[in-house]
């Protein structure tokens, strides 16, 4: 007979093997269930392209705080139908909306208040924007500054301000209604709040589409401007408040219940991530550039502008007074285009793509961006 001690050891060994086998089966099932627009993760020497849903370390994932959008929409629609049965809505913006449309607007506006930090009211602070390694000063929350994106949020997830968030919402609504094909990309995301809002809009206004949201950042601040493409490119790096790790950004998507297989992160400076992304992206409907610098802007335009569909939009978070504006104007000049530039606020602007452009990529290769 086998001694009791050996029976126990054998039993433990069998249990361990069973656990390993079950884990292997589970891993195969998870892999089988994964939805990948293309093969990922991709690891370059200085970049990564990945889906946080599958590729993020699970031990670093925070809890989801918000129910999925459809749960909010159902609750909001029920409230609107009930309250609407007892009142006459005369406001032009709301009177012709169905309860479903009104609920979608409620959800999107709710997300805006959270990502901007406005929801926290007196508990929120306005951070005074300054570049450099020093501690940044704060003041009492200033609604006017937040509206125009002229402060940096303390507790929120984006520094873009209310007007720019409204612009993201409006342009996404436009490309959805007009069936402009293509994905959404943001280059320079900070904490990810604007990309979170874009994903929220897509979820409620275009729920059956497979539009991908590309979230592109170094996740360690801006580049040092060593290429010297513009004198104004120096000094943007070494600002800790602008250096936000990819795990923090991914957790913001998780927090709002908006992380799915159509959220793709590209980690690295844009000169590293744009070439491989250009090989994978088929079309874009909106490009939102927030790279501040001349260098970061040409990295994106020269690799992706030909991917933008006619009727799609380019949003420049940094336009008035930024080297990124000069990069765009030089791009227009050498390609013979004159898009109508539409201001969003005192800092930002956008334009609509009205004609195809044969991008002169040789200029990027030779760093020859002017005539």
């Amino acid at each position: 007979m086998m001694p009791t001690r050996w029976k126990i050891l054998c039993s433990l060994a069998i249990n361990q093997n069973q656990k390993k086998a079950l884990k292997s089966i589970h891993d195969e099932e998870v892999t089988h269930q994964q939805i990948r627009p293309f093969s990922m993760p991709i690891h370059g020497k200085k970049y990564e392209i990945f889906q946080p849903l599958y590729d993020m370390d699970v031990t670093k994932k925070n809890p989801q705080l918000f129910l999925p959008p459809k749960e909010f929409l159902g609750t909001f629609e029920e409230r609107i139908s009930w309250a609407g049965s007892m009142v006459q809505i005369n406001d032009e913006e709301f009177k012709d909306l169905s309860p479903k449309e009104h609920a979608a607007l409620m959800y999107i506006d709710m997300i805006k208040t959270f990502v901007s930090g406005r929801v926290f009211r007196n508990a929120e602070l306005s951070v005074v924007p300054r570049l450099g390694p020093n501690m940044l000063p704060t003041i009492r929350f200033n609604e006017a500054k937040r509206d125009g994106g002229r402060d940096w949020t303390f507790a929120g997830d984006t520094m873009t301000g209310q007007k720019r968030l409204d612009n993201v919402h409006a342009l996404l609504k436009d490309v959805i209604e007009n069936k402009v094909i293509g994905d959404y990309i943001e280059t320079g995301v900070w904490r990810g709040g604007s990309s979170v809002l874009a994903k929220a809009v897509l979820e409620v206004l275009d729920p059956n589409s497979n539009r991908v949201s590309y979230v592109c950042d170094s996740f360690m601040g801006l580049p040092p401007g060593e290429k010297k493409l513009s004198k104004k490119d120096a000094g943007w790096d070494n600002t800790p408040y602008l250096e936000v790790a990819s795990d923090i950004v991914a957790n913001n998507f998780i927090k709002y219940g908006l992380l799915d297989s159509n959220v793709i992160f590209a980690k690295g400076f844009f000169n590293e991530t744009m070439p491989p992304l250009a090989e994978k992206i088929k079309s874009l409907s909106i490009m939102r550039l927030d790279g501040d610098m001349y260098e970061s802007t040409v990295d994106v335009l020269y690799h992706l502008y030909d991917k933008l569909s006619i009727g799609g939009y380019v949003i420049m978070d940094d336009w008035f007074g930024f080297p990124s504006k000069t990069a765009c104007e030089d791009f227009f000049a050498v390609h013979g285009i004159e898009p109508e530039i539409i201001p969003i606020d005192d800092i930002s602007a956008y334009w609509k793509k009205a004609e195809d452009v044969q991008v002169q990529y040789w200029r990027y290769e030779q760093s020859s961006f002017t005539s």
Side-chain angles (χ1 to χ4, degrees), residues 24-214:
S24 177
I25 293 169
H26 175 263
D27 289 346
E28 288 178 8
E29 289 176 346
V30 168
T31 301
H32 180 70
Q33 293 169 358
Q34 289 180 0
I35 301 171
R36 305 271 195 181
F38 49 85
S39 181
M40 281 178 283
I42 301 172
H43 297 283
K45 288 184 178 180
K46 296 182 179 180
Y47 72 88
E48 296 176 57
I49 300 172
F50 61 98
Q51 293 164 288
L53 180 67
Y54 308 128
D55 306 322
M56 182 180 174
D57 184 343
V58 294
T59 65
K60 295 182 178 180
K61 289 184 176 181
N62 290 343
Q64 179 177 321
L65 302 184
F66 284 63
L67 290 171
K70 64 180 181 180
E71 302 293 340
F72 276 102
L73 295 180
T75 300
F76 289 167
E77 190 173 347
E78 183 178 331
R79 170 56 59 90
I80 290 163
S81 297
W82 172 71
S85 68
M86 298 177 281
V87 301
Q88 182 175 338
I89 299 175
N90 297 316
D91 188 284
E92 291 295 327
E93 183 179 357
F94 298 106
K95 69 178 185 179
D96 294 326
L97 292 181
S98 68
K100 184 176 181 179
E101 292 169 330
H102 196 162
L105 181 60
M106 282 177 64
Y107 172 76
I108 292 168
D109 279 353
M110 178 189 73
I111 295 296
K112 290 177 191 177
T113 66
F114 273 91
V115 297
S116 67
R118 297 174 84 113
V119 69
F120 304 116
R121 296 180 61 81
N122 293 332
E124 171 66 325
L125 295 169
S126 287
V127 178
V128 179
R130 290 181 186 173
L131 297 176
N134 296 328
M135 297 285 285
L136 300 180
T138 62
I139 59 175
R140 292 291 297 273
F141 174 51
N142 187 306
E143 280 275 0
K145 286 184 180 294
R146 187 63 50 89
D147 193 51
R150 290 181 287 110
D151 69 344
W152 292 348
T153 182
F154 176 74
D157 304 311
T158 181
M159 57 177 69
T160 54
Q162 187 68 34
K163 291 180 180 179
R164 277 174 260 171
L165 292 174
D166 290 342
N167 172 256
V168 170
H169 176 193
L171 297 189
L172 277 169
K173 185 172 184 287
D174 180 85
V175 298
I176 291 167
E177 291 178 348
N178 289 293
K179 297 180 171 57
V180 178
I181 64 170
D183 301 323
Y184 176 91
I185 190 167
E186 183 165 9
T187 57
V189 304
W190 195 48
R191 297 177 182 172
S194 292
S195 291
V196 166
L197 171 69
K199 180 61 175 171
V201 175
L202 290 172
E203 284 295 301
V204 299
L205 298 187
D206 201 15
N208 297 318
S209 82
N210 288 314
R211 294 183 196 258
V212 173
S213 295
Y214 289 95

Side-chain angles (χ1 to χ4, degrees), residues 2 5 69 102 106 133 146 170 203 229 246 259 284 309 345:
M2 184 182 292
R5 183 170 65 89
H102 196 162
M106 282 177 64
R146 187 63 50 89
E203 284 295 301
L229 300 181
S246 61
L259 185 66
L284 295 165
S309 300
D345 54 24

Side-chain angles (χ1 to χ4, degrees), residues 304-359:
L304 297 183
Y305 195 71
D306 61 350
K307 304 284 185 179
L308 185 65
S309 300
I310 299 296
Y313 295 93
V314 177
I315 305 170
M316 294 299 300
D317 191 79
D318 316 294
W319 185 256
F320 298 103
F322 288 84
S324 52
K325 177 177 183 284
T326 307
C328 291
E329 291 171 338
D330 288 346
F331 183 84
F332 300 157
V334 298
H335 290 96
I337 57 175
E338 297 181 358
E340 179 188 2
I341 305 300
I342 303 170
I344 301 169
D345 54 24
D346 294 338
I347 298 173
S348 304
Y350 71 97
W351 74 84
K352 185 175 186 176
K353 186 175 181 180
E355 57 186 312
D356 280 320
V357 175
Q358 188 68 38
V359 174

Side-chain angles (χ1 to χ4, degrees), residues 270-306:
F270 301 152
N271 65 314
E272 299 288 344
T273 58
M274 292 302 111
L277 273 184
E279 294 179 2
K280 301 298 183 182
I281 294 173
K282 294 179 180 178
S283 61
L284 295 165
S285 58
I286 291 182
M287 298 168 57
R288 189 173 194 281
L289 281 64
D290 189 3
D292 301 89
M293 301 165 60
Y294 191 108
E295 174 185 330
S296 300
T297 303
V298 294
D299 286 338
V300 178
L301 288 177
Y302 276 87
H303 285 98
L304 297 183
Y305 195 71
D306 61 350

Side-chain angles (χ1 to χ4, degrees), residues 204-271:
V204 299
L205 298 187
D206 201 15
N208 297 318
S209 82
N210 288 314
R211 294 183 196 258
V212 173
S213 295
Y214 289 95
V215 182
C216 311
D217 205 291
S218 72
F219 301 105
M220 58 181 184
L222 281 82
E226 293 171 343
K227 294 182 180 180
K228 299 180 180 178
L229 300 181
S230 168
K231 292 180 180 178
K232 294 183 179 180
D233 268 5
W236 292 91
D237 59 335
N238 197 26
T239 303
Y241 203 69
L242 301 182
E243 300 169 6
V244 182
S246 61
D247 290 341
I248 294 174
V249 179
N251 274 315
N252 281 332
F253 278 88
I254 292 171
K255 174 173 65 180
Y256 294 106
L258 292 168
L259 185 66
D260 63 19
S261 60
N262 283 324
V263 176
I264 295 177
F265 278 35
K267 182 179 181 179
F269 290 133
F270 301 152
N271 65 314

